[in-house]
Structures are given as C-alpha cells and as structure tokens.
Amino acid sequence: MKKLLLATLLLVNGLLAVAENGYELWLRYRPLPLASQQAYRPYFRKIFIQPGNASATAIKNELSIAIPALLGIQPVFYSDAAMAGNSGLYINTDAGFHTAITQNNNTRLKETGTEGFYLYAGKNKKQQAVLSILSQSDKGSLYAVFHLLRMMQNQQAIQQLNLLSVPKLQLRLLNHWDNLNRSVERGYAGLSLWNWHTLPGYIDQRYIDYARANASIGINGTVLTNVNANATVLTAPYLLKVKALADVFRPYGIKVYLTARFSAPIEMGGLKTADPLDPDVKDWWKQKANEIYSLIPDFGGFLVKANSEGQPGPQDYKRTHADGANMLADAVQPHKGIVIWRAFVYAAENPVDRHKQAYDDFVPLDGQFRNNVMVQVKNGAIDFMPREPFHPLFGAMPRTPLMMEFQVTQEYLGQATQLVFLAPLFKEVLDADTYSKGKGSTVAKVIDGSLDQHTLNGMAGVSNIGNDINWCGHPFAQANWYALGRLAWDHSISSEQIAEEWLRMSYSADPSFIHTTKNIMLRSREIMVNYMNPLGLHHIMGTGHHYGPAPWVSNLNRPEWNPVYYHKADSLGIGFNRTASGSNAISQYHPEARKAWENPTTCDEKYLLWFHHVSWNQKLSSGNSLWNELCKRYYNGADSVKWMIREWSQQEKRVDAQRFKAVSMLLNIQWEEAKWWRNACLLYFQTFSRQPIPAGYEQPELTLDYYKKLRFPYAPGN
Ligand code: BDP
C-alpha cells in the first residue's frame, strides 16, 4: 500500500522516476512551478472563443488538455460576447469583432494575413488581466493558442505580450514516403501511420495526435504517399480513406496532398498513353481531380516524381517536365489546387556529372510553368548527404517558385540509431548566399518568395514518422520533426532556440540538463559529418539500404550509384573535380557564390573534396597533409561520440528512466557505428594513399576485408 501511494505521489508530481515512452512528443504539458502557475492562471480561467471558429473544437480540446495539466485549473469556455468585461483569454477571428482590450488593434489585425496572429496582453477597463488573440482565420487562432502554450511550457512571461507572428512560408509540408502496404521508404520508425486497411471506418487516435503535433509547429499540409507512387491511391475506395484522414486533419489546419503516378491514366484509366498533351489524358486527370475535390474540397494537390529513378513521366513521350506539370496543374486549377513537381531527376543514359543534371533539365524551363506549379528542389544537388553545398537551382529559376525539400528522416545521417540534430544542417542551407540578385540573396529568400516576388512558397520535409510508440524511432529524432515545422514558420530562428524549446517541452527545464543536452544536440551534426563524410566526401554509404560505409562499391549498374564515382580516390589523391578542368558543375553557381570553392588551396574545407581532387600530401589550413587531416577528422568525429556518451550519462537523475536508458543504449550503438565508419573508410582510402594512420591513434583491429563482407539484408527502410 505504501509503495502504491509513493508511486501515485511520484506520478502526481510528474517526477522523473516515472517512465515515459515519448508518445506525448513536445506536448507533454507537465505541471509548471507554482509561481509560474500563479502568474498564468488569471488568463486561463475564462476563455472566450468567437462563435463560428472552425477550429474551435481543436482549440478547446487542446486547452482542455493543457491548462489543467500545466496550471492545475479547469478553464471555462464561453462563446457569448457577454463574457467581455471579464479577465481571461479572448480568441477573435473577425476584424469587426469586439476585442476585450480597449485598444484599436485593427491595423495589427490586417497584418496577420491568412494564417498569422496578433497576441496582446493588457488590462481591460476594470483593470483586469486580459489576453487577446486576433487573427483573420481560425487557423491563425489555433497557431496562436499553440504559441501561447509553448511560451508557458518554456516559462516565458506573457504579461507584456505584444506579438505579431506571421509565417514566412505559405506551404509547410511533410512528405510521407509511405506505401499502401504500410512499409515506409527510408522509414526507420516502424510502419506507416496510415492504416489503409481499417480506414475509413476506424479513426486511430494517432491521426488526431499527429494533427495536434503538426498544428503546434505550424505544419499545414501532408503528402500522404510515397513519391515512388502507386496509382491505387487514386481509386475510389482509397479516395474515401484519404477523405477520412482529410476530415480529421482539417480542424487542425492541415490539408492533404497525394503523389500522382504519371502513368495512372494507363494503369487505371485503360488509356493507351499518359502523354500530357493527349486530350484523353488531360481529360482523365480533370475527371480525377473533380472526383477528388468532390470528396475533399480543400485537397491540396499533387506531388510528382517523374522521369527519375525509373518513375514514368512526360519525357517518356518526348515532352518536358513543364508539359507534364502544366497538364496536372490545369486539372486542379479550377479547384485552387497546386502541383509540386520535383526537380530530383537524373538519368542513367546521361553521362554528365549527376550534380549537373537537374539544373540542365530545369533552368531552360524557367518561366514555362503555370502559376499553380511549384518546383520542389532538394537542399543539395546529389541527395540529402550529411553535408552538401546548396542546390545550384536555388537562385537560378527566378520565374518559378521553388519549394525546399529537406529530409527529416535520416537516410544518410545515422537513420534511427544515431542522435543527429538537423536544425544546423537546415540553417546552413537556408543561410547560404546564392548571390543571384547580389549579396544577401540567401536560399531562404529564394524559397520564401521575397527575392523574386512569388506568392506561392514553401518548405517540405521528408517525414521520419512511423507507428513506433515514440513516433520517430530515436527519441531525439522528434526534434528534427519539430525543427522542420519551426523553421518553415520562421527560418530566422536559431538552431539553439529550437533545441532549447524542444528540450524543455520534451524533457525538463533543469538548467544543467538544458545546457549539456543542448550542447550535444548542437554539435551532433558536425560530429557525424566528421566520422562519416569529412572534408566534402559524399555518397560513400552502403548500397540499397544506405546503412553504414561502403566506399569500395564499384559494381552497380549505373555509374552514379557507385560510391567510387563520388570520391574518385586514386594513388594521387581523392575527391571529385567539379571545376572547369573537371565536370565544371561549379559553373552552375553564381561567380560570387563559387568564389569560396573554386581554388583548391583556398576552398572552404567543408566542401574541399566535393569540388576538387586533392593530392594526399596537400597541406590544409591546419598544417596537416590531406591524408593526416582526413585521419584526424575521422578520429575526432568518432571520439566525440564518446564525449556525447559521457555527457548524457550525467543526466540520469534529470531524465525519466525509460528515455534515459533508451538514449544511452542508442549512443552506444552510435559509437560502434562511428568506429565502423572511421575504420572502414580509412582502411579503404589507405589502399590509395599508402600512408599510415598517424601514431597516437588507436589502430583499427579489424581488416578492410572484414568490413567489406558485412551484409545487412534486412536493414530497415529499403
Ligand atoms: C533517395 C532515396 C530514394 C528516394 C529518392 C527520392 O534513397 O529512396 O526515392 O531519394 O527522393 O534519397 O525520390
């Protein structure tokens, strides 16, 4: 009995001894310290929601979960203006509507746009504490509520609040690479969340919690299906399932999108062709769009991967990507839908450096796309590598709105066994200067439309979500989902802020915990680059599953699938010469942008082997030869994982036992994997450099042959 009582007490106080499985994500809502509770309570006893707010149910639901948990009080909701004159929270979505505070806020209201909000704290005539949310849409008020909850979870003062928040990007999407059989391409967190078999009848609570989590970080669209598309999702029974999900997500401001298989008119429609200029094909897609919109009036549109890695597309009929995209765009245009056309294309028959192919294909099409088409571009020209220079298409297609595609799932960045915080990678790309319109033409300004005045703009992240109890596999992988949403809303916020917010909400506000763990997160990406792909190396991972190192692979059908194509190690040196004397991919960048990379002796070392073939003995900025520097980076990277382990091990008392242990075990796996990358790569490159691993470093115990023979037939995500 005593034991039971103790357990209950621990539970009531939300103490760390209680195991947590991570399901609650950053919406844990643990009780705040008493002083904070007292400061916040006056605003949340009475909550007024203007009638007609389509998200009112979602808002009330969230506040009913969060307020009692955080503040220990039960809010009472009103929809009657007679409530005005009391202290409390007022949620308005109508310009003409009364605001409780005696201030003329109409100008601020106009600035909120379609999804933004204005949050204002003050006193009413009776000098009572009042908080007002002003927005022109129900979505705006929903985002404002989540913003307030985030502020409280971070224990920020709200008494002086005077904040206008408007998303910098209009489309903030997740791309699920989920198949209809529930396998997830490059998914490391279990099966797809979408249980197509039990839909539409069964609405899993997870669908609702997924929507809550996304709304809390401003994500407003989800592409449900894999870019390697299956036309079956466009059949009538599946569209009913899609509709069921759309209905769940709508109150949370989330639109659904589908991937469109270009050959669907043949596979499903019985047509002989999928030629985008064929009248029957055009008509088939028009009818299909009408059918979809009759079920889902706010359907977002189609995402298309065409003529890439074996997918069908307009080039099969000697048409261009613009012909294909425009045909689909015309089909969804009457319904205000959009087409997101991917620029991730490269062809087996094309001997040109893969780095150059998307640019070559797409730049000539600039200006030819309908105005409801966006071209979605991966952050770099190859493929979501640990580090890539920004994609040369950014800044090179001023007449086309370009959408950013980041990969949240860590296909090439440790999958779900490694702690790698991606916000620094995202920021590095967003902050990169394309110089397309002079200094300061950052990638962020290209994609937010401000550089070339595009009203359509957005960012997508390839999802890392599955049906694992903690959604993302690695407990810290949740932070990457969180980071994507926060940066899509506002790309100017720092990685540090994102890490800190996420840690406080997901774990604890303990200053020492925050300090140490934030540091681990912020350093983790650079550490991983060092033990996997230092100095600009790339694409040297295992074949197929992409798990672990395999720089030696040279026997795949397509040259650009082989790691040797990318590192080009030989007796003289290592690296891909992409300058004028090589593939000249560097010429696709603006002269000012490429200045930092052009010269092999002054090239930013982060990208050295990306752009240059460098002699093993060339001296680098450290004074080391290239070979010795390569060794140093691989060893430092792997050693830093031991540092991560030590730092984390000191957090035991500050974290719940279940997640503490989970992260500890995974960090040990990460250490093994880091050593594996280090040893396998150095032993292999040593066969070319013919130089020793400098004395002082622990020498690899196993042979290159051992590493070459490793096989992982059931590695996930493949
Ligand atoms: C690669 C993935 C592959 C995807 C492809 C894509 O390995 O599974 O289909 O990208 O983005 O990174 O289409």
Side-chain angles (χ1 to χ4, degrees):
M1 183 65 190
K2 244 192 197 160
K3 262 194 194 150
L4 192 72
L5 195 67
L6 185 67
T8 322
L9 276 177
L10 284 172
L11 199 68
V12 167
N13 287 320
L15 286 184
L16 299 175
V18 178
E20 295 195 42
N21 59 24
Y23 180 83
E24 296 163 292
L25 294 161
W26 47 89
L27 303 175
R28 273 165 76 251
Y29 302 136
R30 293 293 182 269
L32 294 173
L34 198 59
S36 302
Q37 289 190 340
Q38 279 165 348
Y40 294 139
R41 278 177 187 164
Y43 299 101
F44 294 96
R45 288 208 165 86
K46 294 181 174 171
I47 298 174
F48 172 79
I49 303 188
Q50 184 180 347
N53 188 323
S55 290
T57 317
I59 290 174
K60 283 188 200 164
N61 176 46
E62 201 62 31
L63 288 168
S64 307
I65 301 171
I67 297 303
L70 289 169
L71 306 184
I73 57 168
Q74 201 66 47
V76 182
F77 294 97
Y78 299 86
S79 57
D80 179 351
M83 187 251 176
N86 283 301
S87 69
L89 171 65
Y90 289 77
I91 302 174
N92 307 276
T93 51
D94 177 344
F97 201 77
H98 169 85
T99 69
I101 308 169
T102 55
Q103 206 110 2
N104 182 359
N105 289 313
N106 275 344
T107 39
R108 298 326 300 272
L109 181 62
K110 284 200 194 101
E111 295 168 56
T112 59
T114 51
E115 292 182 300
F117 56 85
Y118 177 56
L119 255 174
Y120 188 86
K123 298 255 160 68
N124 65 12
K125 282 184 192 142
K126 292 189 240 160
Q127 292 305 304
Q128 294 163 317
V130 168
L131 203 52
S132 264
I133 290 173
L134 297 181
S135 65
Q136 301 186 66
S137 70
D138 47 321
K139 279 166 111 182
S141 46
L142 180 71
Y143 294 139
V145 165
F146 277 113
H147 186 94
L148 266 178
L149 292 173
R150 178 164 56 240
M151 288 187 78
M152 291 198 282
Q153 291 172 89
N154 281 280
Q155 293 181 49
Q156 292 160 351
I158 59 174
Q159 289 80 350
Q160 309 294 328
L161 205 54
N162 184 349
L163 170 90
L164 178 74
S165 182
V166 180
K168 289 206 166 67
L169 296 171
Q170 198 192 107
L171 300 175
R172 305 177 297 278
L173 307 191
L174 283 178
N175 288 183
H176 288 266
W177 285 359
D178 293 18
N179 298 312
L180 300 182
N181 65 5
R182 295 192 77 185
S183 64
V184 180
E185 181 148 344
R186 312 309 174 186
Y188 311 102
L191 295 177
S192 168
L193 275 189
W194 325 131
N195 189 338
W196 296 106
H197 187 65
T198 56
L199 278 165
Y202 184 80
I203 299 299
D204 193 321
Q205 175 62 32
R206 282 194 163 231
Y207 304 153
I208 300 161
D209 291 334
Y210 165 86
R212 290 173 53 224
N214 279 326
S216 78
I217 50 175
I219 288 187
N220 66 0
T222 179
V223 183
L224 298 173
T225 45
N226 192 353
V227 285
N228 296 316
N230 181 336
T232 306
V233 78
L234 300 174
T235 59
Y238 274 84
L239 289 177
L240 285 175
K241 299 168 192 276
V242 174
K243 171 188 162 35
L245 290 174
D247 291 343
V248 172
F249 300 158
R250 189 169 297 109
Y252 289 92
I254 299 165
K255 285 185 182 180
V256 301
Y257 298 69
L258 291 174
T259 46
R261 182 155 165 91
F262 204 77
S263 51
I266 302 174
E267 290 161 30
M268 288 169 56
L271 300 187
K272 293 232 156 37
T273 176
D275 180 349
L277 301 192
D278 181 287
D280 291 339
V281 171
K282 289 184 190 181
D283 190 59
W284 188 87
W285 281 109
K286 278 213 166 87
Q287 298 310 325
K288 189 45 77 183
N290 293 345
E291 182 187 350
I292 297 174
Y293 280 94
S294 71
L295 295 168
I296 311 164
D298 57 352
F299 178 68
F302 294 123
L303 170 66
V304 188
K305 170 176 179 176
N307 295 118
S308 171
E309 301 186 328
Q311 293 301 306
Q315 291 178 339
D316 303 346
Y317 308 95
K318 307 232 173 330
R319 312 296 186 197
T320 68
H321 285 288
D323 294 329
N326 291 343
M327 181 272 295
L328 287 174
D330 290 342
V332 294
Q333 188 276 336
H335 310 282
K336 299 196 171 65
I338 62 162
V339 169
I340 305 171
W341 194 270
R342 294 177 89 226
F344 179 70
V345 298
Y346 62 99
E349 334 49 82
N350 190 347
V352 167
D353 177 4
R354 175 173 162 192
H355 191 300
K356 296 173 73 176
Q357 296 188 27
Y359 182 102
D360 290 347
D361 263 8
F362 277 84
V363 169
L365 302 177
D366 191 25
Q368 292 184 25
F369 292 96
R370 298 278 193 271
N371 58 14
N372 59 333
V373 174
M374 300 192 73
V375 171
Q376 181 165 298
V377 182
K378 289 189 180 182
N379 58 269
I382 300 297
D383 196 358
F384 300 136
M385 295 292 111
R387 170 168 276 131
E388 296 195 42
F390 68 87
H391 200 301
L393 276 174
F394 292 114
M397 294 185 69
R399 294 199 285 160
T400 311
L402 299 187
M403 180 137 169
M404 171 63 77
E405 180 175 319
F406 283 128
Q407 194 181 45
V408 183
T409 191
Q410 295 162 237
E411 176 179 359
Y412 304 99
L413 289 88
Q415 304 190 351
T417 45
Q418 301 191 11
L419 189 167
V420 180
F421 180 48
L422 299 183
L425 184 163
F426 299 162
K427 293 283 291 183
E428 182 174 285
V429 178
L430 292 165
D431 292 344
D433 201 339
T434 69
Y435 285 93
S436 59
K437 290 229 159 84
K439 194 170 167 44
S441 306
T442 58
V443 171
K445 286 188 189 163
V446 173
I447 63 154
D448 73 13
S450 60
L451 201 65
D452 303 302
Q453 284 78 51
H454 291 300
T455 45
L456 205 55
N457 51 59
M459 183 192 288
V462 178
S463 152
N464 62 353
I465 302 163
N467 75 343
D468 270 9
I469 191 76
N470 72 3
W471 304 83
C472 301
H474 196 299
F476 274 69
Q478 297 177 354
N480 296 329
W481 175 9
Y482 184 82
L484 181 92
R486 297 290 285 134
L487 286 172
W489 184 275
D490 180 359
H491 50 65
S492 73
I493 57 181
S494 67
S495 301
E496 181 168 4
Q497 180 186 332
I498 296 170
E500 177 151 352
E501 284 176 6
W502 178 80
L503 280 167
R504 280 173 178 269
M505 295 191 284
S506 311
Y507 284 89
S508 139
D510 180 302
S512 152
F513 172 79
I514 296 286
H515 174 82
T516 309
T517 318
K518 189 169 69 179
N519 203 11
I520 295 178
M521 289 174 77
L522 292 175
R523 287 186 55 192
S524 59
R525 187 270 184 138
E526 204 60 42
I527 290 172
M528 176 271 305
V529 167
N530 279 331
Y531 64 71
M532 277 190 195
N533 288 191
L535 297 169
L537 285 173
H538 53 286
H539 210 290
I540 54 173
M541 67 288 162
T543 299
H545 48 61
H546 299 168
Y547 175 61
W552 46 81
V553 171
S554 63
N555 60 355
L556 305 176
N557 283 343
R558 293 173 56 160
E560 77 288 353
W561 280 352
N562 289 302
V564 295
Y565 172 94
Y566 296 94
H567 64 68
K568 302 206 185 308
D570 57 23
S571 60
L572 301 176
I574 180 172
F576 198 135
N577 181 358
R578 292 193 164 109
T579 65
S581 60
S583 81
N584 208 16
I586 202 166
S587 67
Q588 295 180 333
Y589 292 94
H590 189 280
E592 285 298 316
R594 62 181 189 243
K595 256 190 189 161
W597 305 325
E598 247 155 3
N599 182 334
T601 53
T602 56
C603 178
D604 179 349
E605 285 174 3
K606 293 202 285 286
Y607 303 110
L608 185 62
L609 306 180
W610 189 280
F611 288 114
H612 301 280
H613 190 73
V614 181
S615 125
W616 293 112
N617 293 321
Q618 181 174 310
K619 285 265 174 301
L620 302 193
S621 62
S622 59
N624 289 331
S625 68
L626 172 66
W627 169 252
N628 283 351
E629 184 66 19
L630 202 63
C631 293
K632 186 179 111 189
R633 304 259 177 145
Y634 270 112
Y635 274 87
N636 283 356
D639 285 349
S640 300
V641 178
K642 277 201 280 191
W643 166 81
M644 291 164 77
I645 293 174
R646 281 196 304 277
E647 296 289 293
W648 180 257
S649 69
Q650 284 157 29
Q651 305 311 313
E652 183 158 14
K653 295 272 172 310
R654 308 189 182 107
V655 190
D656 59 279
Q658 186 168 345
R659 289 185 300 170
F660 174 77
K661 195 163 166 215
V663 174
S664 303
M665 291 187 291
L666 286 164
L667 282 171
N668 285 327
I669 295 179
Q670 185 165 354
W671 160 235
E672 293 302 328
E673 291 176 350
K675 266 194 303 190
W676 169 28
W677 270 94
R678 179 194 76 190
N679 293 349
C681 290
L682 286 177
L683 287 171
Y684 169 71
F685 292 135
Q686 193 177 37
T687 64
F688 300 98
S689 79
R690 307 202 166 276
Q691 298 187 34
I693 293 173
Y697 291 130
E698 170 203 12
Q699 301 293 310
E701 278 175 13
L702 299 160
T703 62
L704 177 58
D705 201 45
Y706 165 85
Y707 290 115
K708 281 187 172 175
K709 285 196 177 125
L710 291 175
R711 292 291 177 274
F712 304 93
Y714 305 113
N718 191 8

